[in-house]
Amino acid sequence: MPLDIEKIKIDLRRATAEAADDKMLETVRLGFLGKKGIVAQMYVGLATALPEEKKLIGKEANEIRQLAEELIAERKIFLGQQNKQSNAIDVTLPGIVSPLGTRHLIHQTMDEICDVFERMGFVIQRGPEIEREFYNFSALNIPLDHPSRDSFDTFYLDEADPLTPGRNLLLRSHTSPGQVRVMQKFKPPLAVIIPGKVYRPDALDASHSFMFHQIEGLLVGKQVTFSDLKGLLTTFCQKYFGEDVVMRFRPHFFPFTEPSAEVDIQSNIFKGRAGKWLEILGCGMVHPKVFEAAGYPAGEYCGLAFGMGVERIAMLKHGIGDIRTFVENDVRFLKQY
Ligand code: DAH
């Protein structure tokens, strides 16, 4: 019976194309070119064939053999290349390290400062950045149109304060409004620190920014004295700047504290600033008007308060000369810390 040579060719093409690996390809090779393969069988048939068929069968057997050899060789190359690609990942090579970010220096500084106070029993509270004039000024004994408001230059929003007709909301210009909010929420004794962002429309330069961070502190009880304030802030400075820090409390004025002071320090850690007094915070005893605004009964409580600028402290501690570097997001600067 004559062989269907075209069908054999189709089978051959399909079998080689479907050979997914070298082993399958070898099975195909044996099926066509092996000792018992199709081509060998064709040659066997040649022996018994009629003389006029012999020539044709011989020609067809050669054709199949040649085609099988070509297709198998081609497929072998293709599978070899595919193997190379899937072997392209060399798991024995050392891995690629993904760069890991660091906590921003401002947040590190805030964490460190808050940590010192938390170890002394203070708890963290937060106030809103969009604030009412009442909390930012009036409740802190800074009345409307009082000249002391000028030192807390303020960004006003277009949005009206729903609770005070005719007045707009603002971006808090210090963290002190948090004092009154905390006192409205909790009764003494209380010891809180209020870290956060504050805003002032200052022209940007090496030491001024329109957004910076402050940490506010408030301790209220029945027998809180100025000595407690001095002791507390001395402990803070020794823990944060080192035991050898030298401090002075310089009388100052703040509307929300009476008496008030600013704290200056000298420390060996401030390179190139030896012998110079550097102002680091404002503080004082809570003004009776502030207790009144918070709704505390008159004459019952006394308290101490303080507020410090985080950027300023970080700049002093790390010898940073320009406040703008904190917000420029230059990773070469940031990853040093
Ligand atoms: N709020 C003041 C400022 O922004 C800092 C300050 C001074 C906070 C004295 C206080 C304080 O709590 O008692 O400059």
Side-chain angles (χ1 to χ4, degrees), residues 105-106 108-117 119 233-243 245 265 267 269-270 280 308 310 313-318:
L105 181 57
I106 288 303
Q108 283 182 44
T109 308
M110 287 212 283
D111 288 351
E112 287 164 13
I113 295 172
C114 290
D115 241 42
V116 176
F117 287 106
R119 273 181 268 144
L233 294 178
T234 304
T235 306
F236 163 69
C237 286
Q238 288 172 346
K239 292 271 173 274
Y240 188 71
F241 295 105
E243 296 293 327
V245 71
I265 59 170
S267 167
I269 66 166
F270 305 148
I280 55 151
M308 60 188 93
V310 180
I313 289 177
M315 286 168 78
L316 286 173
K317 190 164 179 181
H318 299 279

Side-chain angles (χ1 to χ4, degrees), residues 131-171:
E131 190 50 285
R132 298 181 51 215
E133 222 171 30
F134 171 74
Y135 290 106
N136 201 76
F137 294 123
S138 314
L140 292 168
N141 194 31
I142 314 175
L144 296 178
D145 309 323
H146 191 277
S148 67
R149 277 198 187 205
D150 298 346
S151 58
F152 300 99
D153 252 358
T154 309
F155 281 117
Y156 280 87
L157 274 67
D158 287 338
E159 188 108 0
D161 178 348
L163 301 175
T164 321
R167 311 302 300 193
N168 279 7
L169 293 170
L170 49 81
L171 292 179

Side-chain angles (χ1 to χ4, degrees), residues 54-205:
K54 276 190 178 168
K55 207 173 162 193
L56 181 67
I57 293 174
K59 187 173 156 262
E60 286 175 347
N62 277 342
E63 237 179 82
I64 298 293
R65 184 176 48 77
Q66 212 174 333
L67 184 66
E69 280 169 359
E70 269 170 32
L71 289 175
I72 288 167
E74 217 172 84
R75 186 70 186 163
K76 211 177 189 95
I77 291 169
F78 173 79
L79 289 176
Q81 276 171 353
Q82 221 182 26
N83 259 345
K84 234 187 251 163
Q85 266 169 24
S86 59
N87 284 342
I89 298 168
D90 182 349
V91 291
T92 64
L93 286 174
I96 299 161
V97 180
S98 316
L100 201 62
T102 54
R103 199 151 164 73
H104 193 284
L105 181 57
I106 288 303
H107 289 276
Q108 283 182 44
T109 308
M110 287 212 283
D111 288 351
E112 287 164 13
I113 295 172
C114 290
D115 241 42
V116 176
F117 287 106
E118 282 180 283
R119 273 181 268 144
M120 293 195 270
F122 283 70
V123 295
I124 294 182
Q125 287 287 316
R126 290 177 200 279
E129 286 173 31
I130 293 177
E131 190 50 285
R132 298 181 51 215
E133 222 171 30
F134 171 74
Y135 290 106
N136 201 76
F137 294 123
S138 314
L140 292 168
N141 194 31
I142 314 175
L144 296 178
D145 309 323
H146 191 277
S148 67
R149 277 198 187 205
D150 298 346
S151 58
F152 300 99
D153 252 358
T154 309
F155 281 117
Y156 280 87
L157 274 67
D158 287 338
E159 188 108 0
D161 178 348
L163 301 175
T164 321
R167 311 302 300 193
N168 279 7
L169 293 170
L170 49 81
L171 292 179
R172 67 176 175 199
S173 55
H174 51 172
T175 43
S176 303
Q179 290 187 24
V180 182
R181 287 187 173 272
V182 166
M183 286 194 276
Q184 284 182 334
K185 228 162 119 190
F186 305 105
K187 290 280 155 275
L190 56 87
V192 295
I193 33 173
I194 308 154
K197 287 190 174 76
V198 301
Y199 303 84
R200 291 182 195 179
D202 280 335
L204 197 60
D205 65 24

Side-chain angles (χ1 to χ4, degrees), residues 152 173-174 176 179 200 214 216-217 254 256-257 282-284 305-307:
F152 300 99
S173 55
H174 51 172
S176 303
Q179 290 187 24
R200 291 182 195 179
Q214 282 188 340
E216 190 80 14
F254 294 106
F256 33 90
T257 43
C283 62
F306 55 90

